[in-house]
Amino acid sequence: GENVEQHPSTLSVQEGDSAVIKCTYSDSASNYFPWYKQELGKGPQLIIDIRSNVGEKKDQRIAVTLNKTAKHFSLHITETQPEDSAVYFCAQGRKTSYDKVIFGPGTSLSVIP
Amino acid sequence: KAGVTQTPRYLIKTRGQQVTLSCSPISGHRSVSWYQQTPGQGLQFLFEYFSETQRNKGNFPGRFSGRQFSNSRSEMNVSTLELGDSALYLCASTQIRASTGELFFGEGSRLTVL
């Protein structure tokens, strides 16, 4: 089936600390795992993505890891800043004739100055 | 380059009415996806269009429909509105495949059903 679980639903961290958000997916055919950030009043925006042939990807303070065997993938934000406060969504997609991206329920991250 | 444009941004309807929402994708993008966002439910997939054809559909009742025009602009329609249809409706475009590339979202149309 197609389902993405995401934890935690809310997360508060002190500025400068790290934040980790974890997702689990059920569709073993999924091969694309993006992360989106949604700021208040705006649409979600892609911040990083990873494909199934890669175990880890980094972009400055953001990193994503993928464990295909366990069907887990995680977002890591280091040295958090107040502007990181937003809702984060993990998602899964697969390259088939059925073309859609399934999103997790979201994590509301608050970075406390 | 202009982003994804959704109109109207806000609207209020009453139960039983119908509503049409519009989405203009980024120039050159041919795939348009629609999502419903409600608190606690995240982004629920409605449908995806490519070259005027619906390629995929989510688990929503038949009251939810959509279409895409030859210029890739898309509309979605909700008939016989219910209170539970109150949500932010987001449109996203991408060049070809929605499942393996970046989705570019609009700011959404916020629908309130009274």
Side-chain angles (χ1 to χ4, degrees), chain B residues 23-95:
Chain B
C23 172
S24 293
I26 291 173
S27 178
H29 285 191
R30 296 164 63 188
S31 167
V32 174
S33 300
W34 287 90
Y35 289 86
Q36 182 195 64
Q37 184 175 20
T38 54
Q41 293 296 315
L43 297 161
Q44 300 292 312
F45 175 78
L46 282 156
F47 24 66
E48 188 260 354
Y49 287 88
F50 179 83
S51 291
E52 302 178 68
T53 300
Q54 185 183 88
R55 289 197 294 197
N56 212 339
K57 191 176 189 304
N59 297 322
F60 279 81
R63 302 184 296 107
F64 292 81
S65 63
R67 59 178 175 169
Q68 186 180 35
F69 302 95
S70 58
N71 61 358
S72 293
R73 189 177 71 85
S74 178
E75 289 181 347
M76 67 163 284
N77 183 275
V78 187
S79 62
T80 319
L81 284 167
E82 301 177 358
L83 295 179
D85 297 333
S86 294
L88 179 68
Y89 290 88
L90 289 162
C91 159
S93 75
T94 190
Q95 283 191 325

Side-chain angles (χ1 to χ4, degrees), chain A residues 41-57:
Chain A
K42 297 185 178 181
Q45 185 172 11
L46 180 72
I47 54 171
I48 194 168
D49 57 13
I50 191 168
R51 300 187 187 273
S52 58
N53 58 345
V54 176
E56 183 176 4
K57 183 177 179 180

Side-chain angles (χ1 to χ4, degrees), chain A residues 22-48:
Chain A
K22 299 181 179 181
C23 288
T24 304
Y25 63 97
S26 58
D27 182 3
S28 57
S30 292
N31 54 11
Y32 177 63
F33 305 92
W35 286 87
Y36 285 81
K37 174 184 180 182
Q38 186 177 27
E39 298 177 344
L40 199 61
K42 297 185 178 181
Q45 185 172 11
L46 180 72
I47 54 171
I48 194 168

